[in-house]
């Protein structure tokens, strides 16, 4: 069972919310409670709820001593939540931004799209690579077969002849 990276409780193994990816591709997962607290701190409209959620996350992190990447990630999320709460308190926050995906990828500019020539060149490179692999595999097979035959000959020469 996976452990929550913030509070060390059991987390769902199959579809736990992911906080971050480690250096070696390992998942930093959250339990449902920590995920709800982070979500509430990031998206709630109630200042008390935001503050309470931030306090709960801070308390859990201080009690469980998470790794540096978790601290860094949660700190940046809580900093953004604090800025959002301050803007809500000041009355300057635009709630229409909440409905939009923050990391939404905009349309890719045409000059960045893969051209037809690039696709054709990639296909030609793949075909050349397949031919090279096939030839290499045959040569390697012949060499290994010859080495095997030589080893068998040496064994027979040593013990039979």
């Amino acid at each position: 069972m996976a452990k929550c990276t913030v509070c060390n409780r059991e987390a769902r193994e199959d579809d736990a919310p992911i906080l971050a990816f480690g250096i070696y591709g390992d998942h930093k997962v959250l339990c449902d409670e920590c995920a709800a607290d982070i979500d509430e701190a990031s998206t709630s409209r109630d200042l008390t709820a935001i503050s309470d959620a931030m306090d709960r996350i801070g308390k859990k992190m201080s009690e469980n001593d998470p790794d540096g990447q978790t601290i860094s990630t949660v700190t940046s999320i809580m900093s953004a939540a604090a800025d959002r709460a301050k803007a809500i308190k000041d009355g300057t926050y635009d709630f229409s931004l909440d409905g939009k995906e923050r990391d939404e990828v905009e349309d890719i500019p045409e000059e960045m799209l893969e051209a037809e020539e690039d696709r054709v060149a990639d296909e030609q490179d793949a075909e050349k690579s397949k031919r090279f692999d096939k030839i290499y595999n045959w040569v390697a097979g012949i060499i290994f077969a010859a080495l095997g035959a030589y080893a068998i000959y040496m064994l027979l020469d040593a013990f039979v002849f």
Side-chain angles (χ1 to χ4, degrees):
M1 193 82 180
K3 296 278 187 181
C4 176
T5 190
V6 173
C7 68
N8 288 330
R9 287 191 196 142
E10 298 284 324
R12 296 184 318 240
E13 203 164 320
D14 54 344
D15 61 343
I18 297 173
L19 177 67
F21 288 97
I23 296 173
Y24 300 107
D26 56 326
H27 299 84
K28 308 285 185 182
V29 296
L30 298 171
C31 65
D32 291 335
E33 187 177 315
C34 289
D37 285 341
I38 288 175
D39 188 48
E40 187 170 1
S42 302
T43 60
S44 179
R45 292 179 176 218
D46 180 23
L47 292 175
T48 306
I50 294 171
S51 176
D52 291 345
M54 291 175 69
D55 289 342
R56 286 190 300 269
I57 291 293
K59 183 178 178 190
K60 289 175 189 177
M61 288 185 59
S62 66
E63 291 173 352
N64 294 298
D65 192 30
D67 62 1
Q69 183 180 18
T70 301
I71 292 171
S72 171
T73 304
V74 172
T75 300
S76 68
I77 292 170
M78 292 299 116
S79 177
D83 292 344
R84 182 177 177 274
K86 183 179 178 191
I88 290 172
K89 185 177 181 180
D90 295 343
T92 59
Y93 186 74
D94 183 11
F95 287 104
S96 66
L97 297 175
D98 285 345
K100 296 181 181 177
E101 190 67 32
R102 292 183 192 118
D103 295 327
E104 188 175 293
V105 177
E106 295 180 16
D107 290 335
I108 299 172
E110 190 171 327
E111 60 270 5
M112 298 290 288
L113 292 174
E114 186 176 34
E116 185 64 32
E117 303 89 42
D118 295 334
R119 277 187 236 129
V120 170
D122 288 344
E123 289 173 7
Q124 289 173 348
D125 289 344
E127 187 63 34
K128 286 179 187 176
S129 179
K130 279 183 184 178
R131 279 188 257 138
F132 176 76
D133 286 345
K134 190 173 186 177
I135 292 169
Y136 179 75
N137 288 339
W138 275 101
V139 169
I142 291 169
I143 291 172
F144 284 129
L147 286 173
Y150 180 71
I152 291 172
Y153 171 75
M154 293 303 290
L155 285 172
L156 290 175
D157 186 41
F159 296 110
V160 176
F161 300 120

